[in-house]
Amino acid sequence: MLSANIQAGSSTRGYHDYVARSWSHVLPMGDKRASLDAIARLATGFDIVGLQESDPGSLRSGFTNQTHYLAQRAGFAYWSHQPNRRVGGVASSANGLLSRLEPTEVVVHSLPGRVKGRGVMLARFGRCDTPLTIAVAHLSLGASSRLAQLAFIAELLADDPHAVLMGDFNCTIDQPEMQALFKRTRLQPPAQTLATFPSWAPQRAIDHILVGDGLRARDWNAMPAAFSDHLALSIELDVPAHCLQ
């Protein structure tokens, strides 16, 4: 299982690039296709991949749906996306999901917050009473908005022992809003936290894969997602066979 903020295929190799290469975040310039191909090669080693900041087909991506492109390049039979934010009419951002297993249901929700444009996507696998549930989210920068967003997600996942919540949380595990999430759900704090931001000199663990108490995770790793400003995060996940039936 892999979670990656792919920064719409843009390249950021240092803080100076946020200014020097700012054009690449709104225009179809830079070698985004090569970046996506590198992410696709990384994704091929996984069964389920959650994406954040995947462009759903705006000007800056050359009107390429990046989630679909990655699914094709990495050989995933199933993909879904949730467009969330538009920037100046030329850029757009989405949550995405790539899967080798066929989901039985995919549901998207807008998240509350001071600034609109955040969402969470839920995919369920299996038709039993407690199927495997994968949620992909990209939370806000502000703590008050994150608190409201995580409270909303907690209602969705409250009593689910086989839930996984992955994404860019924009905060570390020890923040109060994260502790409130753990109290309201069966999601567990990770056994290991890895710094994922900024990718060129990781200092903050703000990307997470949280697993319910009915699942077992191991082998935590952080790795480059091409030239994104976030490292990708991966785990090996043991899922009871009945969850997928």
Side-chain angles (χ1 to χ4, degrees):
M1 186 167 293
L2 179 76
S3 179
N5 180 325
I6 65 171
Q7 204 184 16
S10 296
S11 173
T12 304
R13 309 186 197 192
Y15 286 113
H16 61 281
D17 277 349
Y18 286 119
V19 176
R21 299 178 64 86
S22 59
W23 45 266
S24 71
H25 297 283
V26 293
L27 295 175
M29 303 173 70
D31 200 358
K32 293 186 175 75
R33 188 60 58 89
S35 179
L36 291 176
D37 288 344
I39 295 166
R41 289 192 293 273
L42 172 64
T44 56
F46 298 90
D47 295 315
I48 294 176
V49 177
L51 303 170
Q52 306 89 51
E53 292 194 30
S54 178
D55 195 292
S58 66
L59 176 63
R60 68 171 172 179
S61 67
F63 303 102
T64 297
N65 184 317
Q66 293 181 336
T67 304
H68 184 208
Y69 180 86
L70 289 171
Q72 290 185 315
R73 294 291 288 178
F76 285 87
Y78 307 100
W79 67 278
S80 301
H81 75 146
Q82 179 193 18
N84 290 310
R85 287 177 294 158
R86 294 194 63 83
V87 181
V90 296
S92 188
S93 189
N95 294 323
L97 182 75
L98 313 176
S99 178
R100 304 198 186 283
L101 307 173
E102 182 177 6
T104 54
E105 180 184 35
V106 177
V107 182
V108 299
H109 298 274
S110 296
L111 290 174
R114 186 176 61 84
V115 178
K116 301 301 181 182
R118 302 284 180 171
V120 58
M121 179 168 58
L122 274 70
R124 293 185 173 88
F125 300 84
R127 300 184 184 279
C128 67
D129 292 338
T130 55
L132 175 65
T133 302
I134 304 294
V136 181
H138 187 182
L139 304 185
S140 293
L141 294 171
S144 60
S145 290
R146 288 197 304 270
L147 182 62
Q149 290 162 2
L150 288 170
F152 182 92
I153 292 172
E155 289 188 18
L156 298 176
L157 304 179
D159 296 318
D160 193 339
H162 301 134
V164 177
L165 173 61
M166 66 168 76
D168 175 1
F169 288 59
N170 273 311
C171 70
T172 57
I173 283 293
D174 58 354
Q175 294 302 303
E177 58 268 33
M178 294 296 291
Q179 299 309 305
L181 174 72
F182 295 131
K183 290 179 180 178
R184 297 175 184 175
T185 69
R186 297 177 67 171
L187 296 170
Q188 301 296 299
Q192 183 178 4
T193 55
L194 299 173
T196 56
F197 183 85
S199 57
W200 56 89
Q203 299 175 2
R204 301 183 64 209
I206 61 173
D207 298 88
H208 307 294
I209 303 177
L210 308 177
V211 175
D213 57 9
L215 304 169
R216 180 176 297 179
R218 63 178 188 277
D219 295 338
W220 302 80
N221 288 287
M223 61 206 74
F227 298 112
S228 171
D229 56 352
H230 289 248
L231 295 179
L233 188 64
S234 73
I235 63 169
E236 293 283 337
L237 186 69
D238 292 332
V239 181
H242 72 270
C243 292
L244 303 177
Q245 294 176 351

